[in-house]
Amino acid sequence: MPPVLTVEGLRLYYGTNKGVVKAVDGVSFELEKGEVLAVVGESGSGKSSLGYAVMRLLPENVVLYDGRVVLRDGDVELDITSMDEETLRREVRWKRISMVFQASMNAIDPVSTIGDFIYRVIKEHKPVDKRTGLAMAADALKSVGLPTAVLDMYPFELSGGMKQRVMIALALILRPLVVILDEPTSALDVITQANIISLLKSLKGDVSMMLITHDLALASEIADRIAVMYAGKLAEIGPSDVVLTAPRHPYTKALLESTPTLRQDKVLGFIPGRVPSLINPPQGCRFHPRCKYAMPICSREEPPMVEASPGHKAACWLLRP
């Protein structure tokens, strides 16, 4: 069965007063039906920009957007990068691919009831009367563990976790093929995070998910595969158990070494330096200024993505034949 989402050579550059930011620079991956792909990495690595690029939600200062993003709905192939904006809005966004934005719970209209807010979103993409729309909203809220009474409540009456559930329900309401979740558990307390994680696990298999997070524990709990992103590029991608237990890229190894664990004592490591500026990223391998395994070739040439094991790839000169 072909993947539900194929991304090939995707690039997204922003124009700023200081120069062009290469936020996403030649990223390629596939997302299978019912799969959860976690995209992890430090802040500033381009994870959120990758989500926007896949959805083609582009700000005004974009100077380059190219590559291919192909969404497959049965026998229908939709090239998101080339279709006109009106077709994209009408046929793809929210109907076939939706997104839960970072800090999305702050995006709810503060002067509307939850029911009115959800209905306004529905009718932008599907011509339904208000009674039908509110019934759809009630079903969506039930699917994320919220009572129908929430429809008549205002955002200030809800907790942070409840508002996050509302936004997840909103992303699922038109039964899309793919949902992109950008830091869905950030700014939530530990108990609420656990509830959101449990909710996302219950949705596995029903919808394909692209989970953007800096939390490796969350990724290990939910994801089928993990993609590690650094400075606008993919450093490593593979099955979650393989990436977490046998990483092949030095950046992935350093991330894991700097993550505390509950079941074993270890000396926490750290990654020297900081994520480079995406206006003027390092030549060659972008991680080489911080890498303890760096070789002369690393500063000269960009490493190719090499298959380290079946389904497991990493972009590192250490893996060359």
Side-chain angles (χ1 to χ4, degrees), residues 49-92:
S49 291
L50 177 60
Y52 300 145
V54 171
M55 283 281 289
R56 212 177 96 183
L57 293 171
L58 308 178
E60 294 181 354
N61 64 332
V62 167
V63 296
L64 178 66
Y65 175 69
D66 69 4
R68 292 187 77 226
V69 179
V70 178
L71 188 66
R72 294 179 180 85
D73 186 359
D75 296 329
V76 179
E77 280 198 2
L78 301 164
D79 188 342
I80 291 175
T81 47
S82 63
M83 66 176 53
D84 65 90
E85 182 65 28
E86 179 57 28
T87 303
L88 178 65
R89 187 194 69 81
R90 188 178 63 250
E91 300 296 333
V92 177

Side-chain angles (χ1 to χ4, degrees), residues 91-168:
E91 300 296 333
V92 177
R93 287 198 192 121
W94 237 255
K95 277 188 175 181
R96 291 184 167 100
I97 182 169
S98 61
M99 189 168 185
V100 178
F101 299 95
Q102 190 170 1
S104 60
M105 58 188 180
N106 298 323
I108 304 175
D109 186 351
V111 296
S112 293
T113 63
I114 299 301
D116 285 342
F117 172 70
I118 294 177
Y119 172 63
R120 289 206 310 270
V121 175
I122 294 173
K123 72 177 184 178
E124 283 294 318
H125 302 277
K126 189 174 184 178
V128 296
D129 57 64
K130 189 167 185 179
R131 182 176 180 180
T132 303
L134 290 177
M136 292 172 62
D139 288 341
L141 291 179
K142 287 180 183 177
S143 72
V144 298
L146 291 176
T148 55
V150 170
L151 290 173
D152 297 320
M153 299 173 71
Y154 287 86
F156 71 86
E157 298 178 274
L158 306 181
S159 68
M162 293 174 74
K163 286 188 280 188
Q164 191 73 308
R165 285 172 182 259
V166 167
M167 296 308 295
I168 293 173

Side-chain angles (χ1 to χ4, degrees), residues 147-197:
T148 55
V150 170
L151 290 173
D152 297 320
M153 299 173 71
Y154 287 86
F156 71 86
E157 298 178 274
L158 306 181
S159 68
M162 293 174 74
K163 286 188 280 188
Q164 191 73 308
R165 285 172 182 259
V166 167
M167 296 308 295
I168 293 173
L170 187 62
L172 297 170
I173 199 163
L174 296 181
R175 301 185 182 279
L177 300 169
V178 176
V179 175
I180 301 171
L181 301 114
D182 190 359
E183 301 284 5
T185 60
S186 63
L188 300 176
D189 63 81
V190 175
I191 299 300
T192 306
Q193 285 184 18
N195 290 334
I196 296 297
I197 291 171

